Amino acid sequence: MDIARNPATPDGNPEMADAAVEPKAPPEIRREDYTPFPWLLPAIRIDFELGLEKTRVVATLDVRRNPAGEPSPAIRLNGDGIELVSLKCDGTDCADRMMDGDDLVVTLEGDKHTLEIVTEIDPSANSQLMGLYASNGMLCTQCEAEGFRRITFFPDRPDVLSTYTVRMSGPKAQFPVLLCNGNRTDTGEDGDSHWAEWHDPWPKPSYLFALVAGDLVARSDSFTTMSGRKVELNVWVRDGDLERTEHAMESLKRSMKWDEEVFGREYDLDLFNIVAVSDFNMGAMENKGLNIFNTKYILADPETATDGDYDGIEGVIGHEYFHNWSGNRITCRDWFQLSLKEGFTVLRDQLFSADMGSAPVKRIEDVRVLRGVQFPEDSGPLAHPIRPDSYREISNFYTATVYNKGAEVIRMMRTMAGEEAFRKGTDLYFERHDGEAATCEDFVKSIEEGAGLDLTRFRRWYSQAGTPKVGVALDHNGDVARLRLTQTVPPTPGQPDKQPMPIPLKLALFDRASGAHRGEELVVFDKDSAEFTFGGFAEKPVLSINRTFSAPVSIERDVARDDLVFLAARDDDPFARYEAMQDLMTGYLVAAVSGDLGDNEREAARADIAQAMQSVIEDGALDDLMRGELMSMPSQAYLAEQMLVADPGRIHAEREALKGDLGARLAPQFHALYDRAEKIAFSLDAEAKGARKVKTLVLAYAAASDPQKAAELAAHQYDRADNMTDRQGALMVLAGLDSPERTHKLLDFYNRYQGNALVIDKWFSLQAASLHPQVVDHVKALREHPDFTLRNPNRVRALYMAFAANPAAFHAADGEGYRMVADLILELDPINAQTAARFVPPLGRWRRIEAGRSALMHQALERIAAAPKLSRDTFEQVTRSLG
């Protein structure tokens, strides 16, 4: 499952709110308490009589005692907000049953039974978008993590694997398309109604069940696997959206081919369906043979989608397809093992996207997400290992730690093993655990044995939270360079003391005069401190370390600005070059915010940064995609992470001042770059995408140095744009300026795209994320706009997640930003608890913010915590954030 890449994703039941009991201190689930389920359910048949307001579900379960489980006289079938119509055991009414909360507990004698369970549900009332729900006249499901229990009573846990046979029936005029997991086995009609039967031959857990019924059209194609089997492919959308599905289909075919070539994984059904849904909590879901996607990650054409949208669609489609093996054929034993499937699959989609485009740029993008979301998670109250020890609400653990850090941990194994040996390890994993519900330990052991590695200490990455800090010092004496490394893993909630972890660091030592190095080396640093020596250097070399971001750590070193300028201009590792530029600007900005720079030091530092930036602009060997990364300033969130206590107001002011200074100093170079890029015609190739990227960056620097000139240039770009990337880039800059062009172009954009939900989402986000001084008032006004709704997660995220990620606005000194987000959470929680809970972490950073704002953030959290009838999702996030 993809977590809605904002980057961020996911009980409440509004129709039962009046009867709800305030869920204070929901029970804690602990990994150490895991036991196998006492019953097996090898097969399940489900008959659906479909309706938007009433769907009847008849589930027939084949139940057998599990010889590996503890004997139990009863079977617990999970439910959530559903009512039992009837229950039969072995063909007769079953009276030996009881309700335990929402769960149905049935007493069984003997070792083998058939249970028939009838439930009725109202999909139209399901605003939580979990289980079976209605979306604009269509029925669809989302069952991960615990949504299946909202459809029928069932042991809704990932280690209960069953084969599913499903019959769906309903009015043909209303639901002309009936889709489910697996292969379609039969269809028929009965008057105005019709039906379809589906069978999935591969055992799967209930969270992978999927159903879609609605009025849809398909882009159809096929793929021939490496063994010669022909697979039918369909991308299903609403009528009118079909022309925007070509990129999605091509991405799917590229994903299937890549997984065969790189991991040896072949698709295993006759059919692969993707459905685009407009109301969806997540980015997408990997249900076996029937992937359900947020429309955001399916629909694209140059007029309505940016280059980033195109890349996101390719990456998410790859992610969900790759889950067929890393998540479906091998699933999780329990939810503590979530990173088993998600961390591994994120790595797979990252490698795929790198192969499809610019590998260096993709690596930088991945690290930016990690540092922008996961590093703050690691240093805050919600810190947890990639394999957590406990939880109260599992949807709160669909986090950047589990996904993105989980991917980095597996990437480190690949780095230490080498690509060929790593492939042997993954082959062993797939062979050994196919058809099983496995654990993270099963994966590590397979890599260990297949690749020939000793990963005993490396397992600490699975059990310890926090981002390791690596201290780096390089000395030179005679002809020997001496590298001293230290590591500390900061304390996190529940883990005050940490052990050192193996950290693979790629490094190179440059000769300053020649600009060359003798080759890249890999050192695996697994102690509190260590020393490495390198001979043959007549002069002190320049150190390039953690190249390609070989480990998800924070490097702490006192490095001269001259060395950073050298690396920013001459390092042959693209990530290390990017890192040098970031360090150059970050060092200056942290010192400026802290008040540690005199006027002469400030001027010298700005001159050095401008020199390095100029070398980037004028480097003819760089492509513009990479040039754009090197020109980008560190984010305010990243800068705040470099400080023990951050002042968002000062960070914003100093960052904008540096941006304006660079824009003024390098105006001729920036404008020459813009003029060159403007001459490149639109296409989706790397050259044209890079040109669009640097044009927007030039506009951003101009806006900080010469707002009037920037407004004219951005308005000109907006008017001439023949694609969404250029138009949105221009509007992004205009949205932050107080100019007539801003008002005119925002109105034009809305009128031009009114009715296109995904593009209007962009319109909301651009205003909420802008640098305009009145953003708080703008967001309040947009909240009352007729096109805003709390019922659609995309629209809520478009406005409020963009606002919460806008430090200058969210951290308004009077606390109004915090109050607005708290108000949203309280209003949204009974409607869609998963989405509401995702807005709590920005408030949870209060410990790292200066005292005045910190107190206001804390007050906002306390107000949320005091509300009655909070969902489990939001309750857990708030109480953990308060500490």
PDB file of all heavy atoms in Angstrom, residues 267-280:
ATOM      1  N   TYR A 267       4.420 -12.438 -13.046  1.00  0.00           N
ATOM      2  CA  TYR A 267       3.028 -12.327 -12.594  1.00  0.00           C
ATOM      3  C   TYR A 267       2.327 -13.673 -12.712  1.00  0.00           C
ATOM      4  O   TYR A 267       2.623 -14.472 -13.607  1.00  0.00           O
ATOM      5  CB  TYR A 267       2.288 -11.268 -13.411  1.00  0.00           C
ATOM      6  CG  TYR A 267       0.908 -10.987 -12.887  1.00  0.00           C
ATOM      7  CD1 TYR A 267       0.719 -10.484 -11.606  1.00  0.00           C
ATOM      8  CD2 TYR A 267      -0.229 -11.220 -13.667  1.00  0.00           C
ATOM      9  CE1 TYR A 267      -0.550 -10.227 -11.111  1.00  0.00           C
ATOM     10  CE2 TYR A 267      -1.500 -10.967 -13.190  1.00  0.00           C
ATOM     11  CZ  TYR A 267      -1.656 -10.484 -11.907  1.00  0.00           C
ATOM     12  OH  TYR A 267      -2.922 -10.240 -11.411  1.00  0.00           O
ATOM     13  N   ASP A 268       1.335 -13.923 -11.839  1.00  0.00           N
ATOM     14  CA  ASP A 268       0.833 -15.277 -11.628  1.00  0.00           C
ATOM     15  C   ASP A 268      -0.668 -15.457 -11.834  1.00  0.00           C
ATOM     16  O   ASP A 268      -1.224 -16.489 -11.469  1.00  0.00           O
ATOM     17  CB  ASP A 268       1.189 -15.718 -10.202  1.00  0.00           C
ATOM     18  CG  ASP A 268       0.752 -14.719  -9.142  1.00  0.00           C
ATOM     19  OD1 ASP A 268       0.054 -13.747  -9.489  1.00  0.00           O
ATOM     20  OD2 ASP A 268       1.123 -14.892  -7.971  1.00  0.00           O
ATOM     21  N   LEU A 269      -1.375 -14.460 -12.402  1.00  0.00           N
ATOM     22  CA  LEU A 269      -2.781 -14.613 -12.730  1.00  0.00           C
ATOM     23  C   LEU A 269      -2.980 -14.329 -14.222  1.00  0.00           C
ATOM     24  O   LEU A 269      -2.067 -13.859 -14.904  1.00  0.00           O
ATOM     25  CB  LEU A 269      -3.644 -13.640 -11.901  1.00  0.00           C
ATOM     26  CG  LEU A 269      -3.770 -13.916 -10.397  1.00  0.00           C
ATOM     27  CD1 LEU A 269      -4.422 -12.730  -9.700  1.00  0.00           C
ATOM     28  CD2 LEU A 269      -4.557 -15.192 -10.129  1.00  0.00           C
ATOM     29  N   ASP A 270      -4.179 -14.589 -14.704  1.00  0.00           N
ATOM     30  CA  ASP A 270      -4.483 -14.335 -16.117  1.00  0.00           C
ATOM     31  C   ASP A 270      -4.913 -12.893 -16.365  1.00  0.00           C
ATOM     32  O   ASP A 270      -5.063 -12.469 -17.508  1.00  0.00           O
ATOM     33  CB  ASP A 270      -5.619 -15.259 -16.582  1.00  0.00           C
ATOM     34  CG  ASP A 270      -5.265 -16.730 -16.413  1.00  0.00           C
ATOM     35  OD1 ASP A 270      -4.070 -17.059 -16.502  1.00  0.00           O
ATOM     36  OD2 ASP A 270      -6.194 -17.530 -16.179  1.00  0.00           O
ATOM     37  N   LEU A 271      -5.116 -12.143 -15.281  1.00  0.00           N
ATOM     38  CA  LEU A 271      -5.753 -10.838 -15.375  1.00  0.00           C
ATOM     39  C   LEU A 271      -5.142  -9.911 -14.331  1.00  0.00           C
ATOM     40  O   LEU A 271      -4.850 -10.326 -13.208  1.00  0.00           O
ATOM     41  CB  LEU A 271      -7.254 -11.010 -15.107  1.00  0.00           C
ATOM     42  CG  LEU A 271      -8.194  -9.826 -15.203  1.00  0.00           C
ATOM     43  CD1 LEU A 271      -8.215  -9.290 -16.627  1.00  0.00           C
ATOM     44  CD2 LEU A 271      -9.602 -10.253 -14.785  1.00  0.00           C
ATOM     45  N   PHE A 272      -4.930  -8.651 -14.724  1.00  0.00           N
ATOM     46  CA  PHE A 272      -4.493  -7.639 -13.757  1.00  0.00           C
ATOM     47  C   PHE A 272      -5.329  -6.396 -13.982  1.00  0.00           C
ATOM     48  O   PHE A 272      -5.283  -5.784 -15.050  1.00  0.00           O
ATOM     49  CB  PHE A 272      -3.010  -7.315 -13.913  1.00  0.00           C
ATOM     50  CG  PHE A 272      -2.455  -6.482 -12.787  1.00  0.00           C
ATOM     51  CD1 PHE A 272      -1.853  -7.090 -11.699  1.00  0.00           C
ATOM     52  CD2 PHE A 272      -2.545  -5.092 -12.800  1.00  0.00           C
ATOM     53  CE1 PHE A 272      -1.349  -6.330 -10.641  1.00  0.00           C
ATOM     54  CE2 PHE A 272      -2.045  -4.333 -11.761  1.00  0.00           C
ATOM     55  CZ  PHE A 272      -1.447  -4.946 -10.671  1.00  0.00           C
ATOM     56  N   ASN A 273      -6.124  -6.027 -12.971  1.00  0.00           N
ATOM     57  CA  ASN A 273      -7.004  -4.868 -13.053  1.00  0.00           C
ATOM     58  C   ASN A 273      -6.545  -3.770 -12.109  1.00  0.00           C
ATOM     59  O   ASN A 273      -6.137  -4.035 -10.971  1.00  0.00           O
ATOM     60  CB  ASN A 273      -8.442  -5.256 -12.671  1.00  0.00           C
ATOM     61  CG  ASN A 273      -9.149  -6.024 -13.767  1.00  0.00           C
ATOM     62  OD1 ASN A 273      -9.084  -5.651 -14.931  1.00  0.00           O
ATOM     63  ND2 ASN A 273      -9.837  -7.103 -13.393  1.00  0.00           N
ATOM     64  N   ILE A 274      -6.627  -2.540 -12.592  1.00  0.00           N
ATOM     65  CA  ILE A 274      -6.421  -1.352 -11.771  1.00  0.00           C
ATOM     66  C   ILE A 274      -7.685  -0.512 -11.875  1.00  0.00           C
ATOM     67  O   ILE A 274      -8.230  -0.329 -12.959  1.00  0.00           O
ATOM     68  CB  ILE A 274      -5.207  -0.538 -12.252  1.00  0.00           C
ATOM     69  CG1 ILE A 274      -3.897  -1.277 -11.954  1.00  0.00           C
ATOM     70  CG2 ILE A 274      -5.179   0.837 -11.601  1.00  0.00           C
ATOM     71  CD1 ILE A 274      -2.660  -0.575 -12.511  1.00  0.00           C
ATOM     72  N   VAL A 275      -8.154   0.014 -10.742  1.00  0.00           N
ATOM     73  CA  VAL A 275      -9.335   0.874 -10.728  1.00  0.00           C
ATOM     74  C   VAL A 275      -8.968   2.194 -10.058  1.00  0.00           C
ATOM     75  O   VAL A 275      -8.346   2.203  -8.992  1.00  0.00           O
ATOM     76  CB  VAL A 275     -10.516   0.222  -9.979  1.00  0.00           C
ATOM     77  CG1 VAL A 275     -11.722   1.148  -9.983  1.00  0.00           C
ATOM     78  CG2 VAL A 275     -10.878  -1.121 -10.605  1.00  0.00           C
ATOM     79  N   ALA A 276      -9.359   3.307 -10.672  1.00  0.00           N
ATOM     80  CA  ALA A 276      -9.136   4.636 -10.104  1.00  0.00           C
ATOM     81  C   ALA A 276     -10.373   5.083  -9.338  1.00  0.00           C
ATOM     82  O   ALA A 276     -11.485   5.041  -9.858  1.00  0.00           O
ATOM     83  CB  ALA A 276      -8.822   5.635 -11.213  1.00  0.00           C
ATOM     84  N   VAL A 277     -10.178   5.505  -8.087  1.00  0.00           N
ATOM     85  CA  VAL A 277     -11.268   5.899  -7.194  1.00  0.00           C
ATOM     86  C   VAL A 277     -10.977   7.308  -6.673  1.00  0.00           C
ATOM     87  O   VAL A 277      -9.846   7.599  -6.262  1.00  0.00           O
ATOM     88  CB  VAL A 277     -11.387   4.914  -6.007  1.00  0.00           C
ATOM     89  CG1 VAL A 277     -12.464   5.353  -5.045  1.00  0.00           C
ATOM     90  CG2 VAL A 277     -11.671   3.505  -6.514  1.00  0.00           C
ATOM     91  N   SER A 278     -11.980   8.162  -6.666  1.00  0.00           N
ATOM     92  CA  SER A 278     -11.758   9.550  -6.264  1.00  0.00           C
ATOM     93  C   SER A 278     -11.799   9.752  -4.758  1.00  0.00           C
ATOM     94  O   SER A 278     -11.228  10.720  -4.249  1.00  0.00           O
ATOM     95  CB  SER A 278     -12.789  10.466  -6.938  1.00  0.00           C
ATOM     96  OG  SER A 278     -14.105  10.048  -6.649  1.00  0.00           O
ATOM     97  N   ASP A 279     -12.480   8.881  -4.025  1.00  0.00           N
ATOM     98  CA  ASP A 279     -12.540   8.975  -2.561  1.00  0.00           C
ATOM     99  C   ASP A 279     -11.705   7.836  -1.985  1.00  0.00           C
ATOM    100  O   ASP A 279     -12.145   6.677  -1.971  1.00  0.00           O
ATOM    101  CB  ASP A 279     -13.987   8.862  -2.072  1.00  0.00           C
ATOM    102  CG  ASP A 279     -14.860   9.972  -2.605  1.00  0.00           C
ATOM    103  OD1 ASP A 279     -14.636  11.128  -2.220  1.00  0.00           O
ATOM    104  OD2 ASP A 279     -15.752   9.686  -3.434  1.00  0.00           O
ATOM    105  N   PHE A 280     -10.507   8.178  -1.493  1.00  0.00           N
ATOM    106  CA  PHE A 280      -9.592   7.117  -1.070  1.00  0.00           C
ATOM    107  C   PHE A 280      -8.640   7.681  -0.022  1.00  0.00           C
ATOM    108  O   PHE A 280      -8.059   8.756  -0.207  1.00  0.00           O
ATOM    109  CB  PHE A 280      -8.802   6.608  -2.288  1.00  0.00           C
ATOM    110  CG  PHE A 280      -8.273   5.207  -2.140  1.00  0.00           C
ATOM    111  CD1 PHE A 280      -9.142   4.138  -1.986  1.00  0.00           C
ATOM    112  CD2 PHE A 280      -6.916   4.951  -2.163  1.00  0.00           C
ATOM    113  CE1 PHE A 280      -8.666   2.834  -1.856  1.00  0.00           C
ATOM    114  CE2 PHE A 280      -6.428   3.666  -2.027  1.00  0.00           C
ATOM    115  CZ  PHE A 280      -7.304   2.598  -1.878  1.00  0.00           C
TER     116      PHE A 280
END
